[in-house]
Amino acid sequence: MRTSLPRILSIFVMFAASAGAHAAVETVVGKPAPAFELPVFGSESRHVALESLRGKVVLLDFWASWCGPCRQSFPLYEKLHGELPAQDFTLLAINLDEMADGPAAFLYEHPVSYTSLADPAGDVARKFGLIGMPTSFVIDRDGVVRSRHTGFKPQDIDAVRGEIRELIAAGTEGRQADAN
Amino acid sequence: MRINFGAAGRLILVTAALLGGCATTPVQPWERGRLARWDMRWDPDPLQAAMREHAHFSKEGSTGEIGAAGGGCGCN
């Protein structure tokens, strides 16, 4: 058998091409949020499914104990969680640490009343196409992702709060119109 | 199997083979936990690094070692 140079080269070129051929991250904004069910961090027997929160506006926050901006976001998200009505809004955090000791210490330092789920393999993070840490998603009452916020600066909280309030108000008006 | 390559062919073949080595799976944003560890820093202990740099700077000052030239007495 005589193997031609172009044939061998084409094989190497395919390998080389794979160096830059990382699948483009597809945005989930404007689409139904990918479904998931994850264990609650620190209480693995309890699970929460995103589906179970349908009807509420959800702020989904992906975090990790080694992520610097998360130290700023946690106290502000905790405040937000306290000031918005629980029947209309839920804040759900998803921890992405590979080991559990880091987040346990983090939560001890930054205690919050909202639920944190554990996704050590990053499966849900992959579904949501994260490009940075932390990342949060605002999901409306119908389960559609309305926006993505990558990174966190303290001043970002006002935009997030405004957006969530608008979605809550829109849904409440809609439900009142249905009732009439 | 008989393969006959010229010198240029061989060069292209080797280059292409080496390019294949660039194929990597990128580290995902949530996989940077180990990279963010304290002991993965270039200078895990800033104070010790500053002391080491000061001694080195004093010794090598005349060559403008760490970006600025200075004296050699180590007293600044």
Side-chain angles (χ1 to χ4, degrees):
Chain A
M1 187 179 116
R2 197 178 149 84
T3 309
S4 65
L5 177 65
R7 195 174 292 172
I8 290 185
L9 272 182
S10 65
I11 293 168
F12 283 126
V13 167
M14 276 192 289
F15 275 124
S18 70
H22 306 312
V25 176
E26 205 177 310
T27 180
V28 292
V29 178
K31 296 176 188 163
F36 65 82
E37 184 174 338
L38 286 172
V40 173
F41 180 80
S43 164
E44 273 65 25
S45 57
R46 276 178 61 216
H47 284 69
V48 173
L50 182 63
E51 187 71 22
S52 68
L53 302 169
R54 189 65 54 87
K56 290 182 178 189
V57 177
V58 178
L59 178 64
L60 192 64
D61 178 40
F62 289 90
W63 69 283
S65 64
W66 45 264
C67 144
C70 299
R71 291 173 194 279
Q72 294 181 302
S73 71
F74 261 57
L76 294 171
Y77 281 158
E78 171 65 1
K79 193 163 165 266
L80 184 71
H81 182 240
E83 70 190 43
L84 294 171
Q87 71 269 20
D88 293 316
F89 170 69
T90 296
L91 210 161
L92 198 58
I94 298 185
N95 176 260
L96 297 170
D97 276 76
E98 288 167 277
M99 285 165 288
D101 51 346
F106 185 98
L107 289 171
Y108 182 75
E109 271 178 59
H110 307 275
V112 287
S113 56
Y114 52 87
T115 307
S116 208
L117 308 177
D119 181 22
D123 295 333
V124 177
R126 197 167 282 111
K127 280 187 189 175
F128 277 81
L130 260 64
I131 53 166
M133 288 290 287
T135 297
S136 61
F137 294 88
V138 177
I139 301 170
D140 69 13
R141 292 180 193 266
D142 300 321
V144 175
V145 180
R146 289 302 193 97
S147 65
R148 179 179 70 186
H149 301 268
T150 303
F152 186 86
K153 293 191 290 294
Q155 58 267 35
D156 294 348
I157 195 74
D158 295 327
V160 174
R161 183 188 289 111
E163 201 183 330
I164 292 168
R165 278 193 192 283
E166 258 177 45
L167 285 174
I168 290 174
T172 311
E173 281 163 21
R175 280 192 297 186
Q176 280 170 350
D178 289 345
N180 296 334
Chain B
M1 191 166 88
R2 228 180 102 233
I3 307 170
N4 274 326
F5 297 140
R10 264 186 229 127
L11 182 69
I12 294 171
L13 196 64
V14 168
T15 309
L18 289 176
L19 266 177
C22 298
T24 54
T25 307
V27 176
Q28 297 296 337
W30 57 90
E31 293 171 342
R32 294 181 192 149
R34 285 194 175 83
L35 297 175
R37 272 168 47 161
W38 174 83
D39 48 358
M40 287 290 277
R41 284 193 213 165
W42 189 254
D43 280 326
D45 185 342
L47 185 63
Q48 194 187 40
M51 286 164 66
R52 203 186 306 119
E53 269 182 17
H54 181 75
H56 197 87
F57 171 75
S58 300
K59 287 181 189 169
E60 308 290 335
S62 57
T63 62
E65 185 267 329
I66 47 169
C73 70
C75 49
N76 54 345

